[in-house]
Amino acid sequence: MRIVLATGIYPPEIGGPATYVRELSLALRAKGAQVVIVAYGHRGHNDEAEGVVRVSRSGGPIARYCRYASALRRLSRGADIVEAFSSVSVGVPLWLAHIRGPKKILRLGGDFLWERATDRGDPRGLRAWYESKPLFTGLMNGLLRTFDVLVFSTEFQENLYRRFYANLPSMTVIENVNPRGTPQLHARHEPLRLLSFGRFVAFKNLPMLLEAVKQLPETTLTFVGSGPMESVLRDRVTSLRLEDRVTFLPPHHGEAKEKLFSDSDVLVVPSTTDISPNTALEARAAGLPVLLTQETGLSRALTDGMILADLSTPERIADAVRDVTEKYETYAARAAEPVPERSWGQLADEHLSLFVSIL
């Protein structure tokens, strides 16, 4: 089977789709599939070995989308499946490419329209934002209908789309992996070491986290990642006079990421909504206590051992961190319990079963 995976980001860039596409491609190849990856960005040192074709981001969205569409037309000749991992940055070029032959699948682990709304300052979570809108029948609905199948990472998002979009194609859920790990029991440091890991974007609610840290003098916070809000966060650290307690680090991978988990006390994910936070699963697999927004799409099985709370305001974040501090030994013991593994191999099997069912 010949498969084209189309993504907006790919390692060394960070973000859920980057990790997902890379690991899925490796698992699919291990099962005999031929896989080509199309991604934006500059050429990486492993691109040839991993079958990655890069498309430049230069020249604005129209030029960028046309280049991506051209690459998709060329690379999809003779393919059985084209799976896209972004509704707009990849979905629009796929529509422009007018590809005929391969079945087209869109995998959704985020929501473009809601994320753009949060970028403009809308504070509402995903469910509340959708419930404030009429039925979606515009351009996004039309774009979604160009696919043969929509794949969601959570039932939470699938159910919202069933409610608020019209006449969509077939839909299914393929949950994220629950990574293999050897959970280790953590002992709390003084001061408490908070960790925030991932893209610096508006819906992550990171300025609120900084406001909470201001209320928690016996804590430190390490931001690991990059993104468009980095300068905003650095300015907020200065204005709050938190330079001695807040550190910024670039993206970490592999053993470096594992060491960060080992050296920290709590991973905090204060997003207004986080549909399927991979970093939370990775931290839990390492035994690191995870304080996660209660509006998450992760199933109960995947959040077992995590602490779910309302993290919508600085005061609520601060209260939740105080609770974790007071009960740290209990929460750490829960986080150190083994997790039920859901491997990339299983996820690849589910994709292959889907592919066969629609060919």
Side-chain angles (χ1 to χ4, degrees):
M1 184 177 295
R2 180 173 168 79
I3 302 161
V4 177
L5 303 180
T7 178
I9 57 176
Y10 189 81
E13 294 181 309
I14 64 168
T19 301
Y20 191 101
V21 170
R22 183 180 193 180
E23 296 298 330
L24 175 61
S25 70
L26 294 173
L28 289 170
R29 286 192 184 97
K31 295 178 182 297
Q34 294 179 302
V35 182
V36 175
I37 298 164
V38 187
Y40 291 109
H42 300 294
R43 183 175 176 84
H45 69 278
N46 286 329
D47 281 2
E48 186 173 351
E50 296 180 7
V52 182
V53 176
R54 300 279 184 171
V55 176
S56 171
R57 289 190 175 97
S58 64
I62 294 177
R64 179 167 66 244
Y65 291 169
C66 287
R67 279 194 297 270
Y68 203 107
S70 178
L72 284 174
R73 276 194 299 271
R74 174 170 54 87
L75 295 167
S76 65
R77 295 188 189 111
D80 300 295
I81 298 288
V82 177
E83 184 169 6
F85 291 82
S86 166
S87 58
V88 173
S89 67
V90 173
V92 170
L94 186 53
W95 170 73
L96 290 172
H98 297 295
I99 293 171
R100 301 187 185 280
K103 295 295 185 179
K104 297 184 287 293
I105 297 171
L106 176 62
R107 187 265 183 185
L108 289 165
D111 187 280
F112 176 84
L113 294 178
W114 169 70
E115 289 177 20
R116 296 295 80 76
T118 63
D119 288 342
R120 295 189 295 269
D122 196 312
R124 290 171 294 186
L126 180 63
R127 182 187 289 111
W129 185 78
Y130 264 100
E131 289 176 345
S132 72
K133 305 292 179 184
L135 185 70
F136 282 75
T137 57
L139 292 176
M140 180 59 77
N141 206 140
L143 182 62
L144 294 174
R145 289 166 62 183
T146 65
F147 291 89
D148 296 291
V149 181
L150 303 181
V151 175
F152 296 89
S153 60
T154 67
E155 291 184 359
F156 169 71
Q157 189 178 15
E158 180 195 31
N159 290 337
L160 285 176
Y161 275 53
R162 288 189 184 279
R163 285 179 61 192
F164 293 105
Y165 287 99
N167 302 316
L168 291 181
S170 174
M171 289 181 273
T172 190
V173 174
I174 298 179
E175 277 197 321
N176 284 353
V177 299
N178 209 13
R180 176 184 298 174
T182 305
Q184 298 186 2
L185 181 63
H186 280 61
R188 181 165 65 90
H189 295 87
E190 294 286 354
L192 187 76
R193 299 177 182 177
L194 302 180
L195 176 65
S196 174
F197 199 108
R199 292 269 296 158
F200 301 152
V201 291
F203 78 86
K204 297 290 187 180
N205 211 24
L206 300 177
M208 295 288 187
L209 177 56
L210 284 173
E211 299 280 352
V213 170
K214 182 67 175 180
Q215 302 175 33
L216 299 164
E218 298 304 316
T219 64
T220 64
L221 170 63
T222 300
F223 282 122
V224 181
S226 62
M229 287 198 69
E230 182 168 350
S231 61
V232 172
L233 294 173
R234 288 183 179 275
D235 289 345
R236 188 67 62 89
V237 167
T238 300
S239 66
L240 293 172
R241 298 181 179 178
L242 292 173
E243 297 94 334
D244 60 335
R245 294 199 287 125
V246 177
T247 303
F248 287 84
L249 296 176
H252 282 48
H253 306 279
E255 292 182 3
K257 181 191 290 189
E258 293 297 322
K259 189 173 189 312
L260 278 171
F261 290 157
S262 177
D263 291 344
S264 302
D265 293 320
V266 184
L267 176 74
V268 185
V269 186
S271 312
T272 49
T273 300
D274 218 318
I275 297 171
S276 49
N278 289 320
T279 302
L281 297 173
E282 292 172 342
R284 170 68 177 86
L288 178 64
V290 176
L291 179 57
L292 176 64
T293 175
Q294 65 184 7
E295 185 161 302
T296 178
L298 294 179
S299 66
R300 184 173 299 178
L302 292 180
T303 58
D304 182 44
M306 300 183 191
I307 308 113
L308 274 61
D310 182 348
L311 305 178
S312 58
T313 68
E315 292 73 24
R316 288 170 176 164
I317 297 171
D319 286 344
V321 172
R322 292 187 188 102
D323 174 69
V324 173
T325 303
E326 293 172 4
K327 304 172 184 175
Y328 190 83
E329 290 184 359
T330 299
Y331 288 132
R334 286 177 55 198
E337 294 175 358
V339 296
E341 182 188 353
R342 175 173 163 75
S343 69
W344 287 106
Q346 290 173 270
L347 187 140
D349 284 337
E350 291 176 22
H351 275 80
L352 289 169
S353 294
L354 171 64
F355 299 162
V356 169
S357 73
I358 64 175
L359 288 176

